[in-house]
Amino acid sequence: MSRPPSETASETASQAPSHRQLSLNLFVYPGGHHEAGWRYPGSEPERIVDITYYQELARKAEAAKFDALFFADGPALADNVRYASRFRLEPLTTLSALASVTQKIGLIATASTTYYEPYNLARLFASVDHISGGRVGWNIVTTSAAVAAQNFGLDEHPHHADRYGRAHEFLDVITKLWDSWQDDALVIDPDSGIFADTDRVHQINHIGEHFRVRGPLNLPRSPQGRPVYVQAGSSEDGREFAVRHAEAIFTAHQTLPSAQAFYADIKARARAVGRNPDHLKVLPGISPYIGSTEAEARALHETFNNLTQAPYSLELLRRITGLDLSGHDLDAPFPRHLIAPDGDKAVASRFQLVLDIVDREKPTIRQLTHKLAGARGHWVSVGTPEKIADDIQTWFENGAADGFNVMPPWFHGGFDVFVAEVLPILRKRGLFREDYAGATLRDHFGLPRPESLYASPARQSA
Amino acid sequence: MSRPPSETASETASQAPSHRQLSLNLFVYPGGHHEAGWRYPGSEPERIVDITYYQELARKAEAAKFDALFFADGPALADNVRYASRFRLEPLTTLSALASVTQKIGLIATASTTYYEPYNLARLFASVDHISGGRVGWNIVTTSAAVAAQNFGLDEHPHHADRYGRAHEFLDVITKLWDSWQDDALVIDPDSGIFADTDRVHQINHIGEHFRVRGPLNLPRSPQGRPVYVQAGSSEDGREFAVRHAEAIFTAHQTLPSAQAFYADIKARARAVGRNPDHLKVLPGISPYIGSTEAEARALHETFNNLTQAPYSLELLRRITGLDLSGHDLDAPFPRHLIAPDGDKAVASRFQLVLDIVDREKPTIRQLTHKLAGARGHWVSVGTPEKIADDIQTWFENGAADGFNVMPPWFHGGFDVFVAEVLPILRKRGLFREDYAGATLRDHFGLPRPESLYASPARQSA
């Protein structure tokens, strides 16, 4: 059961675009991706739990023909909520409310394999895929916040490898649940009285190390068959997981060479396991600070950094590096020698990213916090619309990205200016769609619709 | 922590209507409440997983000023899906999609304390209460279907008493989570940089037999403080649970005396524990078969019963009584003597209801299956609009009901005719609202908004 999800024998053929185009997702982060974005004038933090705030944003992103909206998540409250927006409406119920006011745009929610039961999560996602007419993606995470364990009766957060062990089996179970109704199982014939052809509805009878699940799911197969499988871990375990299961990868890189190395590695691994590398999209984050001139853009970025608050910034740094620098002189060089070699492996890839920044740029503590304040370690691109578009094109055409997760410093303004100023340039260069060609997230990403595992005669008789 | 939810010292006063009025919920059951409703001409079973089918229904129910829509649920697929619609879109994501197209009507979803984690369920409901602007209710069930256990790694379904033990603790935990943000905890002051007043955001640090949960919830307190607590079990455990926790009870009765006895018992128990009995609404189910004449209504009912299918009907009977009557002569008397005294205690209250029918009416097997086909044991009222209205008024004014769960035999038609023919009579008699007086489900039900448990100084220092 460990073959990748989109490579089954009889998958539906997907229509390839006539030339390669960017995928663009809007990464929605309440209050903005800059940690002080909520303090920026024009931001509307008071609407942080007002669904119309997100519905308006979804309509704008759909009008801009973005591939999808993306929502992060974690089942615990961060400790530093005193200084910034660090929570959100629950993503799956949010997606359902956004699906109701849009027609085409994809909708991606994060959910944890560590803290959900597969049957419950399978129902929630299948339901939203039905409600949205096939526009849902699942960002599969194992949850790195140790505090989450204490909300679920566990003394200790499961180790990285244990979490991935459960995650692999979770994917096996949930895939079987989503496939448990064959596409043609729902008959609904009032004359004969047959509602469902139960020969095409399958118990999955999964028995494994972490789960025992009988099935079938209590919902017919959803429009996309399964949600699009998205993944965001860049550790060794994360890459191995992505290559087995994912159809899109969100990733954080500060430099072109780093992104190129990751991209090449993922595509090579995909080929090595017999997958079509085009069916595994690599989508780095980009947080754009846009000005009419380079100077204006730099001033905008500086304005945001001046709104940061040391207790918040240092807490973020501590979570990544394990180092508590409260009370240190923020303008002293970052004390590289104090970091334990292993750091906190909970966010292994982000830890390495910070080490790379330190080794490359020798920043002060304050400079390092500003590096992370922009988008928690994601790439910050500062400049004119042309410069941002150049950056995107360079990464796209030089083996670093199939598209991007766009991470506005604040909402809605930071997104509005991207749409107004950068998108027309990308379109003029033929890099981004003028309109949607299809109606599902699989259509937008150019991914095949997988056939049910149970459609093959071999499995049916098993 | 085991006091009833709505009786805290400083609760918000609710506005009592000038005279007592009916509460009316629309119980949405895909395909209709009659087990063969999906086969009735004009029913649209092909739209069973089409969200617009429910959105249109929600708009109709709101236009009719109903208190709420109600959705049942269970985390497993029933075995008899071959002959009838026995599944639905996941209720919480459904509620979110319905909230997006309505403004006032309440939205009640069923969810199981046996098969959810409290932290996950707390987030889902709090989120939908935010999304709907305070219109959500939670129908708390312990799940009676043994097959569900096998979807969650359990060899055996937990016993009735064990399920209720977990349910009590679940309520304790989830109430604390919903209260963990005081109402004024969200500050959002860009000038000072304070986003949340973390002195008003509380870890719950629950340690119990079934759960250990640290909290706080990762969402500010929702518009209603907590969803309205609804309960639907009529067993002794169920009643005891309801009186401690519930604000509304859904219940099934075939006769006025049965409903009166239940109503009196619940209200007396409420008084005995010091609760205001008006804050515990008793809402029996009613499934109306409406005709211009009595004969026409009876013919309509007969048409539905003629659409039933023996394998389905006998399976329902088997689940309630434990008795497999396949192969028996359907027109022979129901073999009362074959029932084991205890039956299947999973649906204890429904078991007793069937015994009562048998003892009272001495039906044939077929007649008994027809009794259950209408609404799985709920009260079936057959007649002219005046007769249905009389029935409702009689129960309402004679200590049997505070309102009803209306269960149309088929959708949308069975609801449309109730709205067009019965509702005007109830309005003319002054029994049902002309318009909504408030905007939340608590407003519609006349329930107080509970203050956070953590608003009291005693708990804050604890």
Side-chain angles (χ1 to χ4, degrees):
Chain A
M1 291 300 300
S2 57
R3 78 282 140 271
S6 58
E7 313 298 311
T8 50
S10 48
E11 64 189 20
T12 312
S14 68
Q15 291 256 284
S18 53
H19 61 285
R20 187 167 168 261
Q21 296 236 315
L22 282 163
S23 288
L24 292 179
N25 300 320
L26 174 58
F27 185 167
V28 181
Y29 204 86
H33 282 278
H34 192 283
E35 66 187 41
W38 70 276
R39 302 181 69 190
Y40 186 70
S43 173
E44 295 178 277
E46 69 282 1
R47 295 180 69 196
I48 202 159
V49 291
D50 172 358
I51 191 67
T52 66
Y53 183 62
Y54 304 99
Q55 288 175 326
E56 291 164 17
L57 196 57
R59 286 199 198 94
K60 285 181 182 180
E62 182 165 85
K65 315 302 178 192
F66 265 50
D67 293 66
L69 300 171
F70 169 69
F71 291 84
D73 190 49
L77 183 66
D79 285 332
N80 44 10
V81 68
R82 182 168 178 82
Y83 301 107
S85 67
R86 293 281 296 159
F87 55 84
R88 59 186 66 75
L89 293 167
E90 188 284 324
L92 282 151
T93 47
T94 299
L95 256 50
S96 186
L98 301 185
S100 301
V101 300
T102 54
Q103 282 75 47
K104 295 285 183 73
I105 195 164
L107 301 161
I108 302 171
T110 298
S112 171
T113 54
T114 305
Y115 298 113
Y116 252 109
E117 285 285 333
Y119 202 88
N120 288 335
L121 196 63
R123 297 182 66 199
L124 289 162
F125 269 108
S127 189
V128 183
D129 204 46
H130 279 293
I131 287 170
S132 65
R135 296 189 277 140
V136 169
W138 172 29
N139 181 37
I140 306 158
V141 299
T142 64
T143 304
S144 58
V147 70
Q150 296 174 293
N151 288 331
F152 293 85
L154 304 179
D155 286 320
E156 290 192 10
H157 192 54
H159 289 291
H160 199 254
D162 293 345
R163 299 202 315 267
Y164 273 99
R166 177 176 160 117
H168 280 292
E169 190 178 334
F170 196 111
L171 263 282
D172 186 11
V173 172
I174 204 166
T175 300
K176 288 189 276 193
L177 285 171
W178 282 325
D179 285 0
S180 61
W181 288 64
Q182 290 180 236
D183 287 312
D184 50 1
L186 203 55
V187 175
I188 311 184
D189 179 9
D191 294 334
S192 69
I194 303 300
F195 195 80
D197 178 354
T198 41
D199 291 342
R200 293 168 192 265
V201 181
H202 304 272
Q203 290 183 19
I204 72 167
N205 294 317
H206 175 93
I207 298 174
E209 188 183 345
H210 300 88
F211 304 108
R212 281 180 301 144
V213 180
R214 174 179 180 269
L217 193 63
N218 54 358
L219 255 183
R221 202 149 188 261
S222 75
Q224 293 188 114
R226 309 164 194 153
V228 173
Y229 291 180
V230 180
Q231 194 272 354
S234 297
S235 65
E236 177 60 30
D237 285 341
R239 292 180 195 209
E240 202 259 323
F241 185 89
V243 169
R244 273 176 65 183
H245 303 289
E247 299 169 286
I249 303 182
F250 296 159
T251 180
H253 298 279
Q254 291 276 328
T255 66
L256 178 61
S258 165
Q260 286 170 319
F262 180 81
Y263 187 97
D265 179 59
I266 290 293
K267 299 286 178 167
R269 288 179 192 235
R271 276 183 215 98
V273 298
R275 292 189 60 190
N276 180 342
D278 292 342
H279 295 166
L280 214 181
K281 305 285 169 193
V282 175
L283 308 170
I286 178 171
S287 190
Y289 290 76
I290 305 167
S292 306
T293 63
E294 291 287 327
E296 193 180 302
R298 278 195 302 274
L300 177 72
H301 190 214
E302 193 60 22
T303 299
F304 274 85
N305 285 338
N306 289 338
L307 291 171
T308 59
Q309 304 183 75
Y312 184 94
S313 306
L314 293 177
E315 168 60 16
L316 176 62
L317 199 56
R318 188 199 62 71
R319 282 193 292 121
I320 297 175
T321 64
L323 215 56
D324 183 356
L325 297 176
S326 317
H328 282 240
D329 176 5
L330 297 185
D331 295 311
F334 177 81
R336 168 73 160 94
H337 58 285
L338 294 180
I339 300 185
D342 276 349
D344 177 353
K345 284 299 181 189
V347 216
S349 57
R350 211 54 61 90
F351 175 66
Q352 188 57 50
L353 183 148
V354 168
L355 285 190
D356 290 348
I357 295 173
V358 171
D359 292 343
R360 193 171 63 240
E361 307 185 10
K362 317 273 186 255
T364 65
I365 296 172
R366 190 189 306 279
Q367 286 166 340
L368 183 57
T369 63
H370 286 177
K371 271 278 176 192
L372 298 175
R376 304 173 309 286
H378 281 274
W379 179 33
V380 170
S381 179
V382 181
T384 63
E386 288 72 20
K387 194 267 186 189
I388 309 285
D390 290 348
D391 278 353
I392 287 174
Q393 184 167 7
T394 299
W395 285 42
F396 181 58
E397 293 182 343
N398 290 279
D402 295 314
F404 292 88
N405 241 3
V406 178
M407 303 169 68
W410 82 106
F411 289 101
H412 294 177
F415 180 60
D416 293 338
V417 67
F418 183 88
V419 169
E421 304 295 336
V422 179
L423 223 47
I425 301 172
L426 296 174
R427 287 216 168 93
K428 206 164 157 190
R429 296 178 186 177
L431 297 173
F432 189 62
R433 66 172 69 87
E434 298 283 344
D435 201 354
Y436 295 109
T440 71
L441 179 54
R442 291 189 176 279
D443 290 338
H444 306 336
F445 278 171
L447 297 169
R449 181 182 189 278
E451 201 167 9
S452 166
L453 294 168
Y454 297 91
S456 76
R459 175 163 289 276
Q460 282 182 52
S461 62
Chain B
M1 293 299 300
S2 59
R3 74 283 139 269
S6 57
E7 313 300 308
T8 51
S10 48
E11 63 188 21
T12 312
S14 68
Q15 291 258 281
S18 53
H19 61 286
R20 186 165 168 261
Q21 297 236 314
L22 284 163
S23 288
L24 292 179
N25 300 319
L26 174 58
F27 185 167
V28 182
Y29 204 86
H33 282 278
H34 192 284
E35 66 186 42
W38 70 276
R39 301 179 70 189
Y40 186 71
S43 173
E44 296 178 275
E46 67 283 1
R47 296 180 68 197
I48 201 159
V49 292
D50 172 358
I51 191 66
T52 65
Y53 182 62
Y54 304 98
Q55 289 174 326
E56 290 163 18
L57 196 56
R59 285 201 198 93
K60 285 181 182 180
E62 182 166 83
K65 316 301 178 191
F66 264 50
D67 292 67
L69 300 171
F70 169 68
F71 291 84
D73 192 50
L77 182 67
D79 284 334
N80 45 7
V81 69
R82 181 168 178 82
Y83 301 106
S85 66
R86 294 281 297 159
F87 54 83
R88 59 189 63 77
L89 292 168
E90 188 285 323
L92 283 152
T93 47
T94 299
L95 257 49
S96 188
L98 301 185
S100 300
V101 300
T102 54
Q103 282 75 46
K104 296 284 183 71
I105 194 165
L107 302 161
I108 302 172
T110 299
S112 170
T113 54
T114 305
Y115 298 112
Y116 251 110
E117 285 284 334
Y119 202 89
N120 288 335
L121 196 63
R123 298 182 65 199
L124 289 161
F125 269 108
S127 190
V128 182
D129 203 45
H130 279 292
I131 287 170
S132 65
R135 297 188 278 139
V136 169
W138 172 29
N139 180 38
I140 306 159
V141 298
T142 65
T143 304
S144 59
V147 68
Q150 297 175 293
N151 288 330
F152 293 84
L154 303 180
D155 284 321
E156 290 191 13
H157 192 53
H159 289 292
H160 199 254
D162 294 345
R163 298 202 315 266
Y164 272 99
R166 178 176 160 117
H168 279 293
E169 189 179 334
F170 196 111
L171 264 282
D172 186 12
V173 173
I174 204 166
T175 300
K176 288 188 276 191
L177 286 171
W178 281 325
D179 285 0
S180 62
W181 288 65
Q182 291 180 236
D183 286 313
D184 50 1
L186 203 55
V187 176
I188 312 184
D189 179 8
D191 294 335
S192 69
I194 303 301
F195 194 81
D197 177 355
T198 42
D199 291 342
R200 293 167 191 268
V201 181
H202 305 272
Q203 290 183 18
I204 71 167
N205 294 318
H206 175 92
I207 298 175
E209 188 183 343
H210 300 88
F211 303 108
R212 282 182 298 144
V213 180
R214 176 180 179 268
L217 193 63
N218 53 0
L219 255 184
R221 201 146 188 264
S222 75
Q224 293 188 115
R226 309 165 197 153
V228 172
Y229 291 178
V230 180
Q231 194 271 354
S234 297
S235 66
E236 177 59 31
D237 286 341
R239 292 180 196 209
E240 203 259 320
F241 185 89
V243 169
R244 274 175 64 181
H245 302 290
E247 299 168 288
I249 303 183
F250 296 157
T251 180
H253 298 279
Q254 291 275 327
T255 65
L256 178 62
S258 165
Q260 286 170 321
F262 181 80
Y263 187 95
D265 179 59
I266 290 293
K267 299 286 177 167
R269 289 179 191 235
R271 277 185 214 96
V273 299
R275 292 188 60 188
N276 180 344
D278 291 343
H279 294 165
L280 213 180
K281 305 285 170 194
V282 175
L283 309 170
I286 179 172
S287 191
Y289 290 75
I290 305 167
S292 307
T293 62
E294 292 287 327
E296 194 180 303
R298 280 196 301 275
L300 177 72
H301 190 212
E302 194 57 23
T303 300
F304 274 85
N305 285 338
N306 288 337
L307 291 171
T308 58
Q309 305 184 74
Y312 183 93
S313 306
L314 293 177
E315 167 61 16
L316 176 62
L317 200 56
R318 189 200 60 72
R319 282 194 290 121
I320 297 176
T321 63
L323 215 56
D324 184 355
L325 297 176
S326 316
H328 282 239
D329 175 5
L330 296 184
D331 295 312
F334 177 81
R336 168 75 161 90
H337 59 285
L338 294 180
I339 299 185
D342 277 350
D344 178 352
K345 282 300 181 190
V347 217
S349 58
R350 213 52 64 90
F351 175 65
Q352 187 58 49
L353 183 147
V354 168
L355 285 191
D356 290 347
I357 295 174
V358 171
D359 293 342
R360 192 171 62 240
E361 308 184 10
K362 317 273 187 254
T364 65
I365 296 172
R366 190 189 308 277
Q367 285 165 341
L368 183 58
T369 62
H370 286 178
K371 272 278 177 191
L372 298 175
R376 303 174 308 286
H378 282 274
W379 181 33
V380 171
S381 179
V382 182
T384 63
E386 288 72 19
K387 194 268 185 187
I388 309 285
D390 290 347
D391 278 353
I392 287 174
Q393 185 166 4
T394 299
W395 285 42
F396 180 58
E397 294 182 345
N398 290 279
D402 295 314
F404 292 88
N405 241 3
V406 177
M407 305 169 66
W410 83 104
F411 289 101
H412 293 183
F415 180 60
D416 293 337
V417 69
F418 183 88
V419 170
E421 303 295 337
V422 180
L423 224 47
I425 302 173
L426 297 174
R427 288 218 167 93
K428 208 167 157 186
R429 298 179 186 177
L431 297 173
F432 189 62
R433 68 173 69 85
E434 298 283 345
D435 202 355
Y436 294 109
T440 71
L441 180 55
R442 291 188 175 279
D443 291 338
H444 306 335
F445 278 171
L447 297 169
R449 182 183 188 278
E451 201 167 10
S452 167
L453 294 169
Y454 297 91
S456 76
R459 175 162 290 276
Q460 282 182 53
S461 61

